[in-house]
Amino acid sequence: MAYPFPRFSSAPQTPQYVKGVESPSSWQSRGFDKPRSHAIRWLLLSLIATAVFLVFLAKSLASRPRQTDRIPFSHSDIDDFFDHFEGRQGCGIASTDIYILPVALHPTTKKHSLYCPNRAKLLEAMSGGGRHGFDTPYFPLGCHFRWFTTPEICMILDRFDSVIFLGDNTLRHIYSAFNMLLRENIALGGLKEWEMKESEREVCRCDNQLSRPECLAYSILDSRALRSNDASSGHSSPYLCDRTPHVFIPIDRSPAAEDLHNTFNSFLHREPDSYKPIAVIHSLSLATSLAWPTATSSMDEWVTIADMSHKNVPFLWVGPNAAGHLKPPSQILSQGNNALWHYTIEMAKEAEARQLDTVGMYNFTLQSGSWDGTYYGQEVVLVQAMMVINWLSRLEST
């Protein structure tokens, strides 16, 4: 704070000696410099005040959500992310049919500010959004998630020791789409087409690889299956990157079979000295007829095994899809949208109580077309797989 400088009517005079009052010259003769001591005192007070302010500022910044997305924002506009994918024309799917890039309402708005600033906001946005019409692209709530290119997905996966999908058929379809993205093949990317006859490859293309039982029998459940395949057959599109193994472990009860525990542990302990996290995507719903105790038991079961590994194992609980309009009337009461919504909400609470991340799929699938009222096609599961990848992108790498 500044004080008014005193005005002198004449040149200041040196004070005369008065008994009991010492002049500045006498202070200096006795080894003291009181004006300097006052300056030092004010300097120390200023430093203390500055230190207090910096501590307050640091705490304030630490309490704010941080952007943990490790992938740089792309400044190039891509019209169709699937333009070079195998099956793009035959399956009739463009990325613009299922994902709309966010648009700034003001020309000075930074592009990156349109996307969710942290993992918590991202999961909330993906869970709570909606559609402007049946089967139109989904808009998350408040901020957007990203659609990553395949090289960017590879950069994300490189930060993990492995990725484990753990769930029933709903999550199995998401894992199939995960493989389609990594193989850049939406025609047969979720299947082991090298084991199929030519007639089977024709029948199982596009949506059929998810809907027909004879096609599901060829589903890829482990990335190592593609790696060990003999590519000389000419019926295998490789992963664009395969340094990070991933697997789908099918479960429909809790406790699960011992051999599934062994598979889970083999991925947890694949690299004993690795510092990288092992990400787990977990879901269980219709396979147990939406039994709440089974779901919570499954959470505890797999979290306990993960904790015993002493590794960094982040979990994402994926909620169930909404029921489609073709859901059989006999299942409406037990597996209809009222039951699914309550299951979504209660299991999210249980997951959060166990410090697990959670993302809901109810809003996302509520206005989507389903071939049987339970399961959905590629236009849905490809976006769900990208949502999982967005979650992976926001996890710490150590």
Side-chain angles (χ1 to χ4, degrees), residues 59-134:
K59 288 184 177 180
S60 176
L61 292 175
S63 65
R64 295 180 182 179
R66 292 182 299 150
Q67 167 65 277
T68 57
D69 193 334
R70 306 297 185 184
I71 307 305
F73 287 101
S74 173
H75 294 284
S76 60
D77 293 327
I78 300 176
D79 293 330
D80 184 4
F81 288 90
F82 297 156
D83 187 57
H84 60 288
F85 277 38
E86 184 175 341
R88 160 65 182 84
Q89 298 298 326
C91 297
I93 301 177
S95 67
T96 51
D97 297 332
I98 59 178
Y99 176 83
I100 300 296
L101 288 165
V103 178
L105 298 179
H106 194 277
T108 60
T109 301
K110 302 285 187 182
K111 181 178 180 180
H112 65 81
S113 67
L114 302 174
Y115 297 96
C116 298
N118 57 70
R119 193 168 80 244
K121 290 290 186 182
L122 172 72
L123 295 173
E124 180 182 340
M126 294 191 299
S127 302
R131 301 175 187 268
H132 300 297
F134 196 82

Side-chain angles (χ1 to χ4, degrees), residues 192-230:
K192 296 179 282 188
E193 71 268 33
W194 59 91
E195 296 182 0
M196 304 167 68
K197 299 176 183 178
E198 186 61 36
S199 59
E200 292 173 321
R201 284 192 286 270
E202 287 299 318
V203 168
C204 293
R205 294 176 65 84
C206 306
D207 269 341
N208 286 346
Q209 63 187 304
L210 302 170
S211 61
R212 301 184 67 131
E214 65 270 30
C215 303
L216 288 172
Y218 292 104
S219 295
I220 295 175
L221 302 181
D222 190 328
S223 62
R224 295 172 295 188
L226 182 61
R227 185 182 303 176
S228 61
N229 165 56
D230 182 8

Side-chain angles (χ1 to χ4, degrees), residues 20-320:
V21 179
E22 297 181 69
S23 68
S25 58
S26 64
W27 299 339
Q28 294 172 0
S29 65
R30 294 173 55 188
F32 295 95
D33 191 349
K34 287 194 175 182
R36 184 176 297 176
S37 67
H38 282 290
I40 293 174
R41 182 186 302 171
W42 280 109
L43 178 61
L44 290 174
L45 289 174
S46 299
L47 290 174
I48 291 172
T50 303
V52 170
F53 172 77
L54 290 175
V55 169
F56 172 81
L57 181 62
K59 288 184 177 180
S60 176
L61 292 175
S63 65
R64 295 180 182 179
R66 292 182 299 150
Q67 167 65 277
T68 57
D69 193 334
R70 306 297 185 184
I71 307 305
F73 287 101
S74 173
H75 294 284
S76 60
D77 293 327
I78 300 176
D79 293 330
D80 184 4
F81 288 90
F82 297 156
D83 187 57
H84 60 288
F85 277 38
E86 184 175 341
R88 160 65 182 84
Q89 298 298 326
C91 297
I93 301 177
S95 67
T96 51
D97 297 332
I98 59 178
Y99 176 83
I100 300 296
L101 288 165
V103 178
L105 298 179
H106 194 277
T108 60
T109 301
K110 302 285 187 182
K111 181 178 180 180
H112 65 81
S113 67
L114 302 174
Y115 297 96
C116 298
N118 57 70
R119 193 168 80 244
K121 290 290 186 182
L122 172 72
L123 295 173
E124 180 182 340
M126 294 191 299
S127 302
R131 301 175 187 268
H132 300 297
F134 196 82
D135 271 343
T136 58
Y138 182 73
F139 284 88
L141 178 66
C143 57
H144 221 300
F145 63 94
R146 294 179 59 187
W147 196 278
F148 293 104
T149 64
T150 315
E152 289 174 329
I153 297 173
C154 291
M155 292 171 63
I156 294 168
L157 294 181
D158 277 346
R159 297 168 48 231
F160 296 89
D161 189 51
S162 57
V163 178
I164 303 171
F165 289 75
L166 187 68
D168 54 15
N169 282 340
T170 300
L171 191 64
R172 178 176 178 166
H173 289 173
I174 297 176
Y175 181 67
S176 291
F178 183 79
N179 280 281
M180 295 177 206
L181 293 172
L182 280 175
R183 298 175 71 188
E184 297 188 333
N185 182 348
I186 55 180
L188 293 164
L191 303 179
K192 296 179 282 188
E193 71 268 33
W194 59 91
E195 296 182 0
M196 304 167 68
K197 299 176 183 178
E198 186 61 36
S199 59
E200 292 173 321
R201 284 192 286 270
E202 287 299 318
V203 168
C204 293
R205 294 176 65 84
C206 306
D207 269 341
N208 286 346
Q209 63 187 304
L210 302 170
S211 61
R212 301 184 67 131
E214 65 270 30
C215 303
L216 288 172
Y218 292 104
S219 295
I220 295 175
L221 302 181
D222 190 328
S223 62
R224 295 172 295 188
L226 182 61
R227 185 182 303 176
S228 61
N229 165 56
D230 182 8
S232 62
S233 65
H235 294 293
S236 175
S237 51
Y239 293 120
L240 190 68
C241 54
D242 63 353
R243 291 184 293 272
T244 302
H246 45 87
V247 65
F248 173 76
I249 301 176
I251 58 173
D252 57 7
R253 63 177 63 91
S254 180
E258 188 64 29
D259 62 317
L260 300 181
H261 288 179
N262 293 337
T263 301
F264 189 70
N265 273 311
S266 69
F267 276 81
L268 292 180
H269 300 283
R270 191 182 70 89
E271 295 288 346
D273 298 326
S274 175
Y275 66 89
K276 295 181 179 180
I278 297 136
V280 177
I281 299 93
H282 187 197
S283 183
L284 192 60
S285 55
L286 295 177
T288 67
S289 299
L290 304 180
W292 296 9
T294 305
T296 55
S297 172
S298 184
M299 292 180 194
D300 293 333
E301 174 186 359
W302 297 102
V303 168
T304 298
I305 297 174
D307 286 345
M308 292 173 62
S309 71
H310 303 292
K311 294 292 191 74
N312 179 10
V313 187
F315 274 73
L316 174 67
W317 174 261
V318 179

